[in-house]
């Protein structure tokens, strides 16, 4: 179903057209509202009785609704009326007078509707987004009535049709001329060539300076099937196609051509680039090469190029750099190596290879440490240029291409110094940019450099898309301030930069001029995207206002003369933007009740859902980034199921892989991968033994990637990088004991090495490590807590990015290491480890039953005391003086002191040394559900039972575990295994070390050395 809408002032002409059809017996009136259909003049008068109340130039609306031929048997008279009335209602004409006429004069069924956009109170119905709303309505009607689904967009020239009657002939000419003019030709000869070659239409001049059109046959002559074709004056087709109107249109297109220079240059660049590979090219091969790129050639001796994507037509006079002499009868490729064709294919192949393998790494690192010849060749068929040129290449040339690509990685390695130099140049440029930006806004440049990962700890990585877009915004802003306001070619500011920028910059901290410019650019880009989307989706004013609100915009109405102007203001931002076309669609009544989302993340979530970015939306739901209302509405949304399932599969296989790695005694992920490359089936057998059900295709796909050479290379690279960065941190402290806590050891020659000795390096560190710390490094739990200590150290003293969720359970790292941390650094570590622990249990209060006294007792059982201060209720751990003021709604008021001190003392939280640490270890084991370890701590008198009455289930499980261990005379090995599994989340990924590799190869899931 395709609906065509036109607006006119000639009501009588439209009515006359339909009454004549009725008189000829090929049309009938099938429905009307508020229209007297007794005579032609009465129909005209009924419509015009509304039109007189408005000054709009073209008040009468003429709609034709066309159905495919195949739908004729489906449509009944009642369905025509029902569909027509529904279409009018949803387009906004539901209360308007109309007359509906069914025509039977063409092969396809169709109806016409004549109505008016002037309402009975003199207001005008808005036509904003009418075309897109009409398409949207049509698609819904097709689905609801089981009609043929029709595309609403023309991608090809008007199809030639058999000409049986005058009306068909005029429709053919009219549609062809309309479509040709939509390509914006600038000269008469361009229009002439375009119409002749693309549409088979002749254009000619008449005696009185007019223009006429006629159809052409296969030989470009004015005869079809032996009969000459009649010329029709342009003015008889439409007044827009008269001689004067056509000349005015061409003149206007010529004057506005500079605005489309970018389209011209892009078309020219594509043609020049691809034609450089040819000595000659036939028209047929030209079509094969360029039509997928949106470029269409027309002509034989003279040529024009139609840019079908940009909707432009360019002649040889426009495309001066293009060698059109190469277009001949036959095609002859130049030597593909000498012309650069093979290099272009190899470049594309490499880009695809890197993007799919190591998108985050710098090119130099990928070339030197990850890429393989075999991996590069696997991606050869993904080159878009090869897909186009492959039919033109001979077998020997294709073999030569494979050889060229095989050697290409070696060429890239020889160019590494230049590649590194280029990377350093751009990075130094970005560093300078951020220094200038920080200076102009009074910000700390080092903080900005860390946020954008422009420091030595991330020198191996490229920017994320979010970082790139915000850096482009900063560059554009500084250029604007300095007077250079032209976006660069590689400018990456887009609609979603509005959300990205908040991760890096607080706009409120910027100087007014820069803040205002950024807001204007960000909101303008986002608003443009939103408006284009809503044009295609929203039908009625109420829904439109709600949709804008959902996207974060508050709408307001201003009056200028006789016109209404709608402005949009983004939530939390100051700048207002005019929304074109909405002034006639919305009024003050529509804008009375507006409601914005609760927070910016809600807007971001709504945008993700509306644009089909369900993975992005799911991650926001999973991480509780949205407001409670959205969380409850979307938590179980069916669009999230694939992502949820994939995440569950990855989590399960990661857990099983860790346990497999633990049993095999592998200290490094790279060692495990090296083994699995030779024996994937062993791990599959292990999965079956564990009776874990994972989709076979998922397991195969996972192992294919996990055991690739590139994956092994990446593990080795990341392990080296982690060791190098950790050593760099340790050298910053100039303290060998801090190095020990970070997992650094020294060999006899004084070289530094990682915890298990695989990676070594020279170091500036001097002095010996305490024997106590050397022994501590040998303990089972050391690596687990050292990993947490490294993470916090990186955040505090390394890249200084926002501290990732360190987790309440990592408190033990500080408890075990605190006496070895230099005093001047100790408090920073204390806060980093203690606050997450306290926050975890205080936030749980909201989910627990019980009165305030019971909740205080619950906190005391976790070693946390509530303290009443001038600032409000704060919290501290037993045996410390550091207070923490939390923002969570804990519901505790005026806590008493005495009973808390007594409870804390009874549970052992006020002791010093290992006894206090073991008590916190007991709490953490209980909270993680590791009742085996908690019971062992009680049975060995290392801790006291500290379980709140609000946790009856946990207490029950603890008692059960105590009984089990007592009955079998608990084995230390069982506890060690339980503890090792407790640590699995932090000793499993790339670069995390999990035990020394056994000397012999693992021969099955049961034969690896055990830990303990």
């Amino acid at each position: 179903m395709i609906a065509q809408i036109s607006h006119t002032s000639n009501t009588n002409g439209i009515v006359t057209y339909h009454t004549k059809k009725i008189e000829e017996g090929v049309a009938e009136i099938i429905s009307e509202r508020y229209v007297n259909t007794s005579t032609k003049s009465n129909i005209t008068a009924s419509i015009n009785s509304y039109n007189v109340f408005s000054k709009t130039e073209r008040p009468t609306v003429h709609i034709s609704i066309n159905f495919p031929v195949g739908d004729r048997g489906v449509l009944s008279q009642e369905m025509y009326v029902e569909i027509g009335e529904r279409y009018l209602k949803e387009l906004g004409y539901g209360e308007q007078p109309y007359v509906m006429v069914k025509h039977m004069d063409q092969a396809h069924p169709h109806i016409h509707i004549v109505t008016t956009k002037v309402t009975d109170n003199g207001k005008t119905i808005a036509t904003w987004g009418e075309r897109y709303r009409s398409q949207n309505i049509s698609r819904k009607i097709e689905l609801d009535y089981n009609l043929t689904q029709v595309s609403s967009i023309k991608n090809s020239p008007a199809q030639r049709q058999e000409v049986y009657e005058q009306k068909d002939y005029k429709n053919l000419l009219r549609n062809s001329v309309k479509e040709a003019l939509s390509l914006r030709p600038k000269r008469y000869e361009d229009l002439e060539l375009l119409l002749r070659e693309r549409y088979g239409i002749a254009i000619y001049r008449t005696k009185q300076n007019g223009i006429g059109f006629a159809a052409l046959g296969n030989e470009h002559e004015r005869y079809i099937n032996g009969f000459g074709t009649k010329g029709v004056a342009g003015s008889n087709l439409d007044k827009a196609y008269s001689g004067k109107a056509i000349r005015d249109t061409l003149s206007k297109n010529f004057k506005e051509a500079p605005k489309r220079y970018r389209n011209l240059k892009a078309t020219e660049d594509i043609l020049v680039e691809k034609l450089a590979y040819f000595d000659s090219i036939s028209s047929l091969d030209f079509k094969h090469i360029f039509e997928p790129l949106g470029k269409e050639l027309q002509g034989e001796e003279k040529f024009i190029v139609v840019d079908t994507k940009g909707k432009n037509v360019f002649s040889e006079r426009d495309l001066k750099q293009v060698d059109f002499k190469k277009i001949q009868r036959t095609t002859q490729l130049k030597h593909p190596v000498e012309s650069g064709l093979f290099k272009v294919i190899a470049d594309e192949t490499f880009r695809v290879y890197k993007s799919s393998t190591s998108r985050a790494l710098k090119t130099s690192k990928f070339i030197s440490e990850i890429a393989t010849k075999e991996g590069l060749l696997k991606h050869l068929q993904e080159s878009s240029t090869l897909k186009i040129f492959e039919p033109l290449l001979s077998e020997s040339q294709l073999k030569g291409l494979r050889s060229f690509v095989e050697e290409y990685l070696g060429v890239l390695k020889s160019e590494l110094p230049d590649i590194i130099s280029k990377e350093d140049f751009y990075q130094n440029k970005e560093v300078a940019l951020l220094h200038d930006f920080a200076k102009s806004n009074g910000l700390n440049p080092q903080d900005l450099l860390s946020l954008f990962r422009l420091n030595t700890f991330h020198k191996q990585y490229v920017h994320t898309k979010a970082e790139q877009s915000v850096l482009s915004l900063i560059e554009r802003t500084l250029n604007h301030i300095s007077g250079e306001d032209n976006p660069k070619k590689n400018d990456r500011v887009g609609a979603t930069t509005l959300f990205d920028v908040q991760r890096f910059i607080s706009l409120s901290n910027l100087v007014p001029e820069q803040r205002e410019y950024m807001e204007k650019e960000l909101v303008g880009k986002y608003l443009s995207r939103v408006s284009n989307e809503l044009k295609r989706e929203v039908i009625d004013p109420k829904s439109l206002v709600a949709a804008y609100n959902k996207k974060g915009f508050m709408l307001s109405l201003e009056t200028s003369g006789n016109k209404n102007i709608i402005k949009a203001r983004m939530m939390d931002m100051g700048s207002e933007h005019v929304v074109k076309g909405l002034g006639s669609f919305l009024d003050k009544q529509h804008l009375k009740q507006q409601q914005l989302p609760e927070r910016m993340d809600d807007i971001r979530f709504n945008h993700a859902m509306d644009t089909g970015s369900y993975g992005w939306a799911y991650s926001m739901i999973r991480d509780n980034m949205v407001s409670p209302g959205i969380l409850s509405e979307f938590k179980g949304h069916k669009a999230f199921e694939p992502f949820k399932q994939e995440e569950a599969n990855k989590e399960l296989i990661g857990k099983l892989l860790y346990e497999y790695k633990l049993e095999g005694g592998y200290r490094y992920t790279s060692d495990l991968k090296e083994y699995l490359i030779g024996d994937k089936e062993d791990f599959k057998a292990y999965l079956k033994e564990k009776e874990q059900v994972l989709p076979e295709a998922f397991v195969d796909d996972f192992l294919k990637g996990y055991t690739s050479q590139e994956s092994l290379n990446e593990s080795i690279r990341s392990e080296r990088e982690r060791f190098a960065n950790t050593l760099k941190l340790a050298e910053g402290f100039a303290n060998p004991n801090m190095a020990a806590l970070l997992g650094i050891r020294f060999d006899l020659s004084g070289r530094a090495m990682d915890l298990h000795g695989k990676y070594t390096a020279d170091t500036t560190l001097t002095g010996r490590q305490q024997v106590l710390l050397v022994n501590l490094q040998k303990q089972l739990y050391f690596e687990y807590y050292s990993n947490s200590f490294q993470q916090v150290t990186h955040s505090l003293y390394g890249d200084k990015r926002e501290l990732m969720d360190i987790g309440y359970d990592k408190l033990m790292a500080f408890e075990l290491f605190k006496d070895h941390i230099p005093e001047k650094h100790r408090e920073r570590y204390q806060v980093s480890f203690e606050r997450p622990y306290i926050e975890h249990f205080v936030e749980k209060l909201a989910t627990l039953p019980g009165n305030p006294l019971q909740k205080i007792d619950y906190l005391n059982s976790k070693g946390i005391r509530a303290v009443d201060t001038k600032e409000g209720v704060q919290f501290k751990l037993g045996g410390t003086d550091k207070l923490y003021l939390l923002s969570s709604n804990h519901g505790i008021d005026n806590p008493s002191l005495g009973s808390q001190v007594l409870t804390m003392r009874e549970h052992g939280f006020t002791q010093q040394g290992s006894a206090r640490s073991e008590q916190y270890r007991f709490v953490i084991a209980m909270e993680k559900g590791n009742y085996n370890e908690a019971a062992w701590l009680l049975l060995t008198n290392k801790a006291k039972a500290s379980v709140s009455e609000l946790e009856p289930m946990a207490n029950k499980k603890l008692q059960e575990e105590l009984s089990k261990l007592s009955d079998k005379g608990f084995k230390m090995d069982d506890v060690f295994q339980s503890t090792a599994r407790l640590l699995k989340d932090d000793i499993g990924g790339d670069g995390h070390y999990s035990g020394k590799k056994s000397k012999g190869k693992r021969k099955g899931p049961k034969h690896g050395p055990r830990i303990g």
Side-chain angles (χ1 to χ4, degrees), residues 477 480-481 507 510-523 573-577:
T477 301
H480 169 75
I481 301 303
L507 297 180
L510 306 183
V511 296
E513 187 179 7
Q514 294 192 34
R515 181 182 67 247
E516 290 167 8
Y517 177 79
M518 278 196 176
E519 284 189 359
K520 180 182 175 183
E521 289 295 299
L522 292 169
V523 177
M573 294 194 181
S575 61
E576 282 190 324
H577 295 253

Side-chain angles (χ1 to χ4, degrees), residues 896-939:
S896 61
L897 181 64
S899 61
Q900 290 192 76
V901 173
L902 182 61
T903 303
M904 300 273 282
R905 185 178 298 129
E906 288 176 351
H907 287 313
F909 290 111
T910 57
Q911 303 177 68
Q912 295 301 318
S914 62
R916 176 178 176 276
S917 296
E918 295 291 5
Q919 194 62 44
Y920 279 108
R921 181 181 171 190
F922 170 83
V923 172
I924 291 169
M926 287 293 292
E927 186 68 7
K928 289 182 76 73
N930 191 2
Y931 303 110
N932 182 277
E933 182 187 10
W936 177 77
L937 288 168
L938 296 181
L939 290 171

Side-chain angles (χ1 to χ4, degrees), residues 806-925:
I806 192 65
Y808 71 92
D809 55 319
K810 307 305 188 302
L811 175 68
M812 289 303 297
F814 179 70
E815 290 294 316
L816 292 169
F817 292 176
K818 64 184 178 182
D819 293 337
H820 307 288
I821 301 172
E823 188 174 350
K824 65 178 180 179
H825 301 298
R826 195 173 299 155
E827 186 176 351
R828 295 187 73 183
Y829 282 98
Q830 180 183 4
V831 172
S832 297
F833 283 105
E834 287 185 354
R835 177 178 280 276
Y837 179 89
I838 293 172
E839 284 178 339
H840 173 79
F841 290 105
V842 171
E843 287 173 1
K844 279 193 72 174
L845 293 179
T847 64
L848 294 174
N851 58 47
L853 287 177
Q854 289 175 310
K855 291 187 176 183
I856 289 176
D857 180 68
Y858 167 80
L859 291 179
N860 294 163
S861 72
K862 310 306 174 190
I864 301 171
R865 199 176 99 195
V867 182
D868 200 11
T869 70
K870 292 181 180 179
E871 292 79 14
V873 176
Q874 299 192 57
F875 302 90
K876 64 188 286 293
L877 294 187
T880 70
D881 297 322
K882 183 68 180 175
L883 291 170
Y884 299 90
L885 182 65
L886 306 183
S887 59
S888 58
N889 184 20
H890 44 71
I892 294 177
D893 192 25
N894 299 320
S896 61
L897 181 64
S899 61
Q900 290 192 76
V901 173
L902 182 61
T903 303
M904 300 273 282
R905 185 178 298 129
E906 288 176 351
H907 287 313
F909 290 111
T910 57
Q911 303 177 68
Q912 295 301 318
S914 62
R916 176 178 176 276
S917 296
E918 295 291 5
Q919 194 62 44
Y920 279 108
R921 181 181 171 190
F922 170 83
V923 172
I924 291 169

Side-chain angles (χ1 to χ4, degrees), residues 108-124:
H108 69 281
H110 61 288
I111 58 175
H112 291 257
I113 303 172
V114 182
T115 184
T116 173
K117 59 186 173 187
V118 182
T119 65
D120 56 7
N121 61 6
K123 291 186 177 180
T124 304

Side-chain angles (χ1 to χ4, degrees), residues 316-419:
E316 293 184 51
R317 292 165 67 180
D318 300 317
L319 304 167
K320 296 177 182 177
Q321 301 301 315
V322 179
D323 186 0
F324 284 95
K325 292 178 181 178
K326 288 188 176 183
I327 302 172
Q328 298 177 15
R329 292 182 179 276
T330 59
T331 296
Q332 181 63 52
L333 274 173
K334 288 185 177 179
H335 192 287
V337 175
E338 295 174 1
S339 68
L341 177 59
F342 280 5
K343 176 141 189 335
V344 169
I345 294 172
D347 282 340
E348 287 180 353
T349 303
F350 177 79
R351 285 196 296 271
V352 172
Y353 177 37
K354 182 185 180 303
S355 178
S356 62
T357 307
S358 300
R359 185 188 297 271
L361 276 185
K362 283 185 175 179
T363 301
S364 58
K365 277 291 168 186
F366 180 70
I367 293 169
S368 61
E369 299 192 36
I370 308 297
T372 66
K373 288 182 180 181
E374 296 75 17
L376 183 62
L377 275 172
K378 285 179 184 177
H379 291 80
L380 178 58
Q381 291 301 321
E382 296 176 56
S383 162
S384 58
T385 299
L386 177 59
K387 289 175 183 177
I388 293 172
F389 280 87
E390 190 169 14
L392 303 178
L393 294 170
S394 65
E395 284 297 322
S396 61
Q397 287 174 324
L398 288 172
K399 287 181 181 178
L401 174 62
R402 288 186 65 83
S403 299
F404 186 92
V405 173
E406 280 183 334
E407 297 170 2
Y408 187 66
L409 194 57
V411 174
L412 289 176
K413 287 182 177 180
S414 69
E415 295 173 352
L416 270 175
D418 291 336
I419 294 172

Side-chain angles (χ1 to χ4, degrees), residues 519-534:
E519 284 189 359
K520 180 182 175 183
E521 289 295 299
L522 292 169
V523 177
K525 288 271 188 182
Y526 179 58
L527 178 60
S528 176
R529 170 85 169 266
V530 167
S531 294
N532 285 331
E533 289 171 358
L534 297 184

